[in-house]
């Protein structure tokens, strides 16, 4: 790649000028609790540069592909393919009808071979394998490529470790329900990050179907259409760009919206998802869906009254609703544990199955 081309694709697209904070020279991550307390993205430059996959990538895409194929367990993965005219952006079809790509179960090695065939093709088809469990599909790879994370607290699930592979592709702006450590190992990536409170300026698409399982923004940050999506200017004003070189590790908190562009003919990333909550807690997305069913279409005055109840019971201090009650009378208002979570879940299911 020429110096001019490289400079061009590291410029912030659209109206976004803010850059994610970069920490240089770190050999170890800070405690996860410290990361969560900062509640903002940060890049740890070169933290994973000595991982075996990153070293293979420095030899070239062919070497990285050959290295990965050594670990292929033979389990079919979900491979996504899009035609060249879509420029690698996995998204909807016209008028949000259908999707602009095909998904099929394929062997991991076959997908890697398809990418290898097109490494020199100027406008290749787009190939993508997303969020694939590292230990299940590439056993042994994690032993040579991994962060030294402390064991999770008792009762809390261990991080989920996944790999992402493909050529020049873009995952449209979306949020995840977990905190994320994204380890860029082969190729460069650009994350465009938006705080959670920008949802109203990002024009979310349908809840389903979605290109990747999560609702996505309809705005393309690399070419925003402000006539159609004028409120996006507010999101761009507080957004930030995280440009990752091979070996960089990006942290961003749960619910931050992110658009992810893979910028080379072959790219590989490993990520760690985790929540700082007990494993027995349910996902709030279930609550959101039930809110659509039970609250959204009620009269506005009623909804405001329910907002007050939710603020008291859910969004305020957790111990406040039961503070004035004798301990034996607190019931569902007592702190959750695994047993009480099962009991409460059973009550919810009973009420839903009316």
């Amino acid at each position: 790649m020429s110096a001019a081309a490289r400079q061009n694709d590291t410029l912030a697209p659209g109206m976004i000028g803010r850059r994610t904070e970069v920490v240089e020279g770190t050999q170890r991550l800070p405690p996860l609790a410290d990361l969560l307390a900062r509640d903002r993205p940060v890049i740890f430059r070169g933290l994973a540069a000595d991982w075996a996959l990153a070293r293979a990538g420095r030899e070239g895409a062919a070497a990285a592909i050959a290295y990965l194929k050594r670990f292929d367990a033979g389990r079919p993965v979900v491979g996504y393919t899009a035609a060249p005219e879509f420029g690698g952006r996995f998204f909807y079809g016209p008028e949000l009808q259908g999707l602009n790509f095909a998904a099929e179960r394929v062997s991991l090695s076959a997908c890697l071979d398809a990418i290898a065939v097109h490494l020199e093709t100027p406008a290749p088809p787009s190939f993508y394998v997303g969020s694939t469990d590292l230990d299940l599909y590439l056993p042994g790879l994690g032993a040579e490529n991994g962060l030294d994370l402390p064991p999770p607290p008792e009762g809390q699930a261990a991080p989920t470790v996944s790999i992402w592979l493909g050529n020049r592709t873009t995952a449209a702006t979306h949020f995840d329900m977990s905190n994320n450590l994204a380890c860029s190992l082969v190729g460069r990536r650009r994350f465009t990050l938006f705080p959670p409170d920008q949802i109203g300026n990002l024009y979310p698409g349908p809840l389903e179907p979605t290109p990747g399982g999560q609702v996505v923004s309809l705005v393309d940050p690399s070419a925003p259409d402000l006539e159609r999506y004028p409120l996006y200017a507010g999101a761009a004003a507080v957004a930030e760009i995280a440009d990752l070189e091979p070996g960089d590790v990006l942290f961003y908190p749960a619910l931050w919206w992110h658009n992810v562009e893979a910028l080379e003919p072959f790219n590989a990333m490993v990520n760690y998802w985790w929540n700082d909550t007990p494993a027995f807690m349910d996902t709030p997305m279930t609550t959101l869906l039930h809110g659509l069913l039970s609250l959204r279409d009620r009269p506005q005055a009623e909804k405001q009254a329910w907002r007050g109840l939710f603020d008291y019971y859910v969004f305020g201090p957790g111990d406040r609703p039961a503070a004035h009650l004798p301990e034996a009378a607190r019931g569902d208002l007592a702190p959750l544990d695994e047993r009480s979570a099962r009991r409460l879940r059973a009550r919810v299911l009973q009420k839903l199955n009316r």
Side-chain angles (χ1 to χ4, degrees):
M1 176 182 294
S2 70
R6 186 180 183 85
Q7 181 181 17
N8 181 63
D9 73 12
T10 57
L11 293 175
M15 303 166 290
I16 301 172
R18 186 194 305 263
R19 292 292 181 145
T20 297
E21 179 186 350
V22 176
V23 175
E24 304 275 2
T26 301
Q27 301 300 312
R28 293 176 61 88
L29 281 174
L32 296 184
D34 291 354
L35 284 179
L36 296 181
R38 64 176 288 120
D39 198 34
R40 289 202 63 83
V42 60
I43 298 169
F44 297 96
R45 185 74 77 205
L47 182 61
D50 290 333
W51 292 15
L53 180 52
R55 293 198 303 269
R58 288 196 290 272
E59 296 177 25
I65 289 171
Y67 173 77
L68 286 166
K69 288 174 68 174
R70 286 170 38 199
F71 299 94
D72 184 2
R75 294 174 176 268
V77 299
V78 179
Y80 302 93
T81 307
E85 58 262 32
F86 297 116
R89 186 169 185 246
F90 287 78
F91 197 62
Y92 291 100
E95 302 300 319
L96 305 185
Q97 297 301 301
L99 303 169
N100 70 352
F101 58 91
E104 61 178 334
R105 303 291 292 186
V106 296
S107 89
L108 179 61
S109 289
C111 188
L112 290 170
D113 287 342
I115 294 171
V117 166
H118 290 283
L119 287 174
E120 304 298 328
T121 303
S126 300
F127 302 104
Y128 178 62
V129 176
S131 191
T132 298
D133 186 278
L134 196 67
D135 289 338
L136 186 61
Y137 292 89
L138 293 156
L141 184 70
E144 299 182 10
N145 304 270
L147 293 171
D148 183 18
L149 298 180
E154 184 177 355
Q156 184 172 314
T160 299
V161 188
S162 301
I163 193 165
W164 309 70
L165 306 166
N167 52 6
R168 288 190 177 95
T169 60
T170 298
T173 307
H174 63 285
F175 67 88
D176 300 317
M177 288 177 280
S178 300
N179 305 296
N180 201 330
L181 287 162
C183 309
S184 178
L185 300 177
V186 183
R188 296 170 300 121
R189 286 182 187 261
R190 167 176 288 152
F191 282 72
T192 306
L193 298 146
F194 303 87
D197 63 5
Q198 291 305 301
I199 182 172
N201 293 330
L202 288 172
Y203 298 88
L207 291 178
E208 60 177 30
T210 65
Q214 283 289 85
V215 62
V216 302
S217 168
L218 300 181
V219 186
D220 181 356
S222 66
D225 182 348
L226 293 184
E227 288 190 8
R228 190 172 185 181
Y229 306 117
L231 295 179
Y232 174 76
V238 295
E240 56 189 74
I241 302 290
D243 279 325
L244 303 185
E245 297 288 334
D248 291 347
V249 176
L250 168 67
F251 162 75
Y252 54 94
L255 303 179
W256 273 67
W257 294 77
H258 49 287
N259 186 83
V260 188
E261 301 168 78
L263 300 173
E264 304 286 1
F266 178 65
N267 306 269
M269 178 178 72
V270 168
N271 81 310
Y272 293 73
W273 273 324
W274 87 100
N275 288 98
D276 192 29
T277 53
F280 56 74
M281 289 186 67
D282 283 1
T283 168
M285 183 55 88
T286 304
T287 310
L288 176 61
L289 293 174
H290 190 250
L292 296 178
L293 175 66
S294 63
L295 288 171
R296 183 193 57 188
D297 294 334
R298 292 183 180 275
Q300 190 62 32
E302 240 184 274
K303 288 200 291 187
Q304 289 301 112
W306 277 106
R307 183 194 296 271
L309 287 170
F310 271 76
D311 284 343
Y312 181 77
Y313 283 108
V314 178
F315 296 112
D319 57 354
R320 180 186 174 192
H324 59 284
L325 300 175
E327 187 171 342
R330 290 177 179 177
D332 293 333
L333 299 178
L336 277 179
D337 56 24
E338 189 167 358
R339 182 179 178 183
S340 61
R342 284 200 305 269
R343 184 175 63 243
L344 188 55
R345 189 177 297 110
R347 287 188 58 204
V348 171
L349 288 172
Q350 183 181 33
K351 290 180 177 297
L352 286 173
N353 293 326
R354 57 177 183 155

